[in-house]
């Protein structure tokens, strides 16, 4: 069961290291009934990850996308970049339990995946978990309220 609206698109972006996965994930998400807004990159040519993480995060931040997916080699760069945006809670997921907890405890609205360190089927499994896990609220909401500067 999806906890994110399917009436809004999924925002997705990557650098060159995540390009192949991004391409596969866009097709896979479409098969699952999601609309997708692709913020690039559009090839394996070397690029700067902030050029794609910022517009992806801005789309989620403005409410133009239900949630976001960012990919790069380690996922650290895109995660740090996305988290510069107010209202964005990007979480780096490298295993299923982490994908679950960033939703349950942190109310993450962008999942960041390290394309050089996880297999594509694992990335898909983590996105499935991310999109079907609800935020628990309660004591976690108190903590979320303290994140913004």
């Amino acid at each position: 069961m999806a906890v994110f609206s399917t009436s809004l698109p999924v925002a997705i972006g990557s650098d060159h290291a995540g390009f192949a996965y991004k391409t596969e994930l866009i097709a896979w998400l479409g098969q699952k009934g999601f609309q997708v807004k692709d913020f690039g990159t559009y090839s394996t040519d070397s690029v700067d990850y902030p050029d794609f993480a910022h517009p992806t995060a801005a789309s989620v931040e403005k409410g133009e996308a239900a949630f976001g997916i960012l990919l790069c080699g380690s996922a650290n760069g895109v995660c740090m970049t996305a988290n510069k945006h107010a209202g964005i809670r990007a979480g780096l997921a490298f295993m299923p339990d982490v994908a679950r907890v960033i939703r349950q405890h942190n109310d993450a609205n962008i999942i960041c995946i390290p394309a050089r360190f996880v297999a594509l089927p694992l990335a898909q499994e983590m996105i499935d978990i991310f999109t079907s896990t609800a935020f628990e609220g309660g004591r976690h909401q108190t903590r979320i309220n303290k994140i913004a500067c």
Side-chain angles (χ1 to χ4, degrees):
M1 174 178 94
V3 295
F4 292 102
S5 170
T6 55
S7 65
L8 291 173
V10 175
I12 192 167
S14 73
D15 70 356
H16 52 281
F19 172 73
Y21 277 21
K22 180 177 66 79
T23 302
E24 293 290 331
L25 290 172
I26 289 170
W28 176 76
L29 288 162
Q31 293 170 355
K32 295 179 78 58
F34 287 103
Q35 304 168 57
V36 180
K37 173 67 174 147
D38 182 359
F39 288 94
T41 191
Y42 306 105
S43 77
T44 56
D45 294 342
S46 183
V47 295
D48 299 330
Y49 57 82
D51 295 341
F52 309 97
H54 280 305
T56 302
S59 180
V60 175
E61 181 180 28
K62 294 176 189 171
E64 298 168 353
F67 65 94
I69 300 169
L70 286 168
L71 303 114
C72 73
S74 71
N76 280 294
V78 293
C79 193
M80 287 186 252
T81 302
N83 279 317
K84 298 296 182 185
H85 291 256
I88 293 299
R89 289 170 308 283
L92 194 158
F94 51 88
M95 60 189 294
D97 286 341
V98 174
R100 184 174 295 105
V101 170
I102 64 173
R103 283 289 308 133
Q104 284 177 331
H105 295 185
N106 308 119
D107 198 19
N109 49 15
I110 296 180
I111 184 171
C112 301
I113 299 172
R116 289 187 176 145
F117 297 95
V118 302
L120 181 61
L122 178 57
Q124 292 168 324
E125 178 184 358
M126 291 188 300
I127 292 167
D128 274 338
I129 290 167
F130 183 84
T131 60
S132 63
T133 301
F135 176 51
E136 288 181 355
R139 71 185 191 278
H140 303 295
Q141 184 62 58
T142 302
R143 297 166 185 159
I144 296 299
N145 294 342
K146 294 179 179 183
I147 290 175
C149 293

